[in-house]
Amino acid sequence: MPSIQPLPDQDRVSTLEAFADTIVPGAKRHEGDRAVAGVVPGPGAVEAGALELLRTPATGLSDALDDFADALNAHARLYAAAQPDDSVPPFVALSYTERTHLVTVLTAPGHPERDIWVSLALFSNMAFDTGAHLHTAEAIAAGHPGLAALGFAPPSEDGQWRFSEFSYGRPLARLHPDTTPSGSLA
C-alpha cells in the first residue's frame, strides 16, 4: 500500500465533499465543480452542510477528518483502474459510479474500517435530512435544502411548533382538566 501523504487542506475538503456527495448527491455548484458529481438536480449533502456538521465536535469525528480524507484517497489510489487525474485528489478524480462502488466496499460488513465510513455516511445523511448542525427554526428560515425537500413546516411566529390537525385525524386522549394554557398540569 502506498504511504499516505498529507494533502493540502483544500484537497481534504474536496475529498470529504466528494464522499458526502456520493452518499446524498446534488447538483454541481459551478461548472468546474469536481467534488460534487452533479448526477442529480437540486441540492445534496454538500449544499446542506455535511462538512459543517462533520466539523462539529459533537460528532466525535472532527479531530480525525484530515486522516479520513487521506485514508479515502489512499483507498481511491488502490481502487483506480487507471492513473487518476493529478489535478484533483484521487477520490475526487473517480467517476460517481466508481465512488459509489468504492464506498460500497468500504461500508460492507467485514471491512476493517467499516465503522469509520458508515459514521461519515450517517453524518452526511443527517446534514441533509435534519440540518443537525443548525437550530431547526434558523435552518428553515435560511431555506435549508434538506428540510425544504422534506416539507418540514416552519414554527409559529413565537418559535413553537403547533399542528392544527391531529396526525391521526382525531385527538389521542382528552385534555386533563387541570392542564394550564402552557400545557403543564396545574
Side-chain angles (χ1 to χ4, degrees):
M1 179 172 175
S3 65
I4 297 173
Q5 298 298 316
L7 297 171
D9 287 340
Q10 186 52 46
D11 284 352
R12 289 179 173 140
V13 167
S14 63
T15 298
L16 294 170
E17 286 176 340
F19 182 88
D21 181 67
T22 304
I23 304 304
V24 182
K28 287 184 176 286
R29 297 167 288 187
H30 51 82
E31 188 176 320
D33 195 350
R34 296 280 305 269
V36 176
V39 296
V40 299
V46 174
E47 188 175 333
L51 262 58
E52 290 84 355
L53 176 56
L54 286 169
R55 288 182 176 139
T56 304
T59 65
L61 302 174
S62 59
D63 289 342
L65 290 177
D66 287 350
D67 294 333
F68 296 154
D70 292 343
L72 190 56
N73 282 309
H75 284 293
R77 276 186 210 95
L78 293 173
Y79 176 81
Q83 183 64 28
D85 176 354
D86 288 338
S87 68
V88 292
F91 188 77
V92 176
L94 297 176
S95 70
Y96 180 76
T97 301
E98 292 170 324
R99 292 178 190 179
T100 302
H101 185 265
L102 178 55
V103 170
T104 301
V105 169
L106 296 173
T107 58
H111 191 282
E113 299 170 7
R114 179 178 191 261
D115 291 347
I116 294 167
W117 306 117
V118 167
S119 294
L120 288 176
L122 288 172
F123 283 115
S124 296
N125 272 312
M126 285 176 62
F128 186 81
D129 292 345
T130 69
H133 56 296
L134 304 168
H135 185 284
T136 304
E138 292 169 4
I140 290 171
H144 184 275
L147 296 175
L150 294 171
F152 205 91
S156 302
E157 288 184 23
D158 64 359
Q160 301 295 313
W161 272 268
R162 293 183 184 80
F163 302 92
S164 59
E165 298 178 23
F166 299 101
S167 63
Y168 291 99
R170 63 184 175 82
L172 297 179
R174 289 187 307 274
L175 199 58
H176 190 280
D178 294 333
T179 302
T180 66
S182 71
S184 299
L185 288 177

